Amino acid sequence: MYEEVTRGVRISVNPVYLESQSEPDSNHFVWAYQVRIVNEGEETVQLLTRHWKITDGRGRLQEVQGPGVVGEQPVLQPGESFEYTSGTPLSTPSGIMAGTYQMQAESGEMFDAVVPAFSLDSPWQARRIN
């Protein structure tokens, strides 16, 4: 589990390799990631947009931006949480994801809540000893 807290917004991510949806012989590797967003602050916040940076095992960067997450722009009062599951494919057996959620506080102030960088690992990734 990976976690980051920004201005009272705790974001936890748990990535899972999906063997059943992956085809290693075709360089197609798929992960699901479960995200939990908890408002531990004192002010109601709304998630407006997402910005992901997905880097594969060869260092190729793909950026994904758009409104909300899984079609929603959740409003979280203090103490409330929102959970969702999404996924990503890669053409390499490993990678890394990180990003931000643009949040708006009830005061109207905008801020970026940091999504912690998390590792996408599969059993097909060659292990190296440093």
Side-chain angles (χ1 to χ4, degrees):
M1 178 87 61
Y2 301 82
E3 284 192 340
E4 186 78 38
V5 179
T6 307
R7 286 191 50 178
V9 176
R10 179 179 301 275
I11 299 173
S12 307
V13 184
N14 184 29
V16 177
Y17 177 67
L18 300 178
E19 184 86 40
S20 64
Q21 294 183 29
S22 298
E23 297 176 12
D25 292 340
S26 300
N27 293 319
H28 182 73
F29 304 87
V30 181
W31 288 264
Y33 51 91
Q34 299 169 312
V35 178
R36 179 175 168 84
I37 305 164
V38 182
N39 182 0
E40 297 177 344
E42 298 177 7
E43 189 172 26
T44 299
V45 297
Q46 181 176 16
L47 188 157
L48 299 177
T49 65
R50 70 186 182 286
H51 181 192
W52 287 109
K53 293 182 178 183
I54 307 164
T55 306
D56 72 11
R58 292 187 188 96
R60 291 179 297 209
L61 175 66
Q62 175 187 4
E63 294 193 55
V64 177
Q65 298 182 47
V69 290
V70 294
E72 297 190 47
Q73 293 179 310
V75 175
L76 301 173
Q77 295 181 22
E80 289 186 332
S81 64
F82 178 80
E83 296 182 43
Y84 74 94
T85 301
S86 191
T88 191
L90 290 179
S91 62
T92 60
S94 68
I96 192 164
M97 283 182 69
T100 56
Y101 297 137
Q102 183 183 55
M103 309 294 287
Q104 183 172 23
E106 64 185 336
S107 65
E109 185 179 354
M110 309 284 260
F111 66 96
D112 286 336
V114 176
V115 180
F118 57 96
S119 183
L120 303 171
D121 298 310
S122 78
W124 300 96
Q125 175 62 37
R127 303 286 181 212
R128 289 180 286 223
I129 299 175
N130 296 336

